[in-house]
Amino acid sequence: MIGLKGTLNVIDNSGAVIVECIRVLSGGRFARTGDEIVCVVKKARPISSSLAGTQAATIKVKKGDVRRALIVRTRKEMSRPDGRYIRFDDNACVLLNNKKEPLGTRVLGVVAAELRQKKWMKVVSLAPRVV
Amino acid sequence: MILLQRCVQSPIMRRLSSTAQAKNYTPPASVIVPSPQYPTPVAKKHNLVQILSEEQMRRRDTDGRMHLFSRKNPHCVVPGSVLLVENSTSLSKNTTTTFMGIVIAISRKGIDTSFTLRNIVMKVGVEQRFFLYSPMLKTIKVLQRSSENKFRRAKLYYLRDQPGKVFQPLQGLWKQEQAEVAGGNARK
């Protein structure tokens, strides 16, 4: 249940570390797993010139950028169609570009299986573990 | 569906019922023998709902899971035990998902009895709540039953903040389980 001012961890390699939600795109007050949000990058990995070429190349965002994101984990329990409930210990998201594609090239961490139902196949295929 | 217990006895049945042949009698294929019925419920003192829910639980209890969580069972699942749950994701396909974790809560509510498993997956804590009598729940396997003195609470929500070393042996148990399954498959 992410609403305005809700902070999320970013679990891809786009360069952002923590983002803050500024708008829930589905129109509701709160966003759940599999929903798209607009967010501001609050904390990002530094792009210093001393970094290796490939590492610096993957960092696409800096602090203060406004981007879209897809929520992949929530601390609020979500119900599955068969009656199961699942809850994670943190809120996490993956940054997206305007074409609803992931901005980063890798996803680092567990994602919820709700993404599959909501047709975010690209993110699911990048995820190392889907629960 | 209430069946008539006493039907008109044919001369053959009358002769057979008095001998040992009655026990070994197998009806011909054309005869439809109904499956054994559950004991006729007796509704006394407005306990009809209780009886119906008990019957529902008995009908759903196909593999003895009711006994696993029954308080009368001295070897029942207690909070702190490690469980491996296999859940079918779709009724049409044969796909299943497995989840292993420590039982942190058991909520006993008749047919809505549920238990919550907690595990740490890729450094993130994940909790899943399963309903015991759900038809999607395929198998429950107790990997480790905790001793009574280890977890002295009914609900182990404190493990979210103070896990200690509780979740460390789970990885080893999972590998042991995988090895057992692989060994079983190899033997087949």
Side-chain angles (χ1 to χ4, degrees), chain A residues 10-25:
Chain A
V10 180
I11 59 163
D12 60 8
N13 63 348
S14 58
V17 176
I18 292 177
V19 296
E20 187 182 271
C21 171
I22 53 172
R23 189 155 188 84
V24 173
L25 287 173

Side-chain angles (χ1 to χ4, degrees), chain A residues 6-10 16-21 39-42 69 93 95:
Chain A
T7 49
L8 302 105
N9 298 328
V10 180
V17 176
I18 292 177
V19 296
E20 187 182 271
C21 171
C39 58
V40 173
V41 178
K42 283 289 188 184
C93 70
L95 295 189

Side-chain angles (χ1 to χ4, degrees), chain A residues 78-85 114 117, chain B residues 89 134 136:
Chain A
M78 35 189 154
S79 64
R80 298 260 165 98
D82 60 355
R84 282 183 291 162
Y85 283 91
E114 265 77 4
Q117 284 155 34
Chain B
T89 44
S134 164
M136 306 295 264

Side-chain angles (χ1 to χ4, degrees), chain B residues 6-7 31-32 61 63 76 78-79 94 96 102 115 140 150 183 186:
Chain B
R6 308 179 100 238
C7 45
V31 175
I32 304 164
D61 178 30
D63 52 359
C76 69
V78 289
N94 224 8
T96 56
I102 291 183
F115 57 95
I140 304 169
K150 188 152 188 223

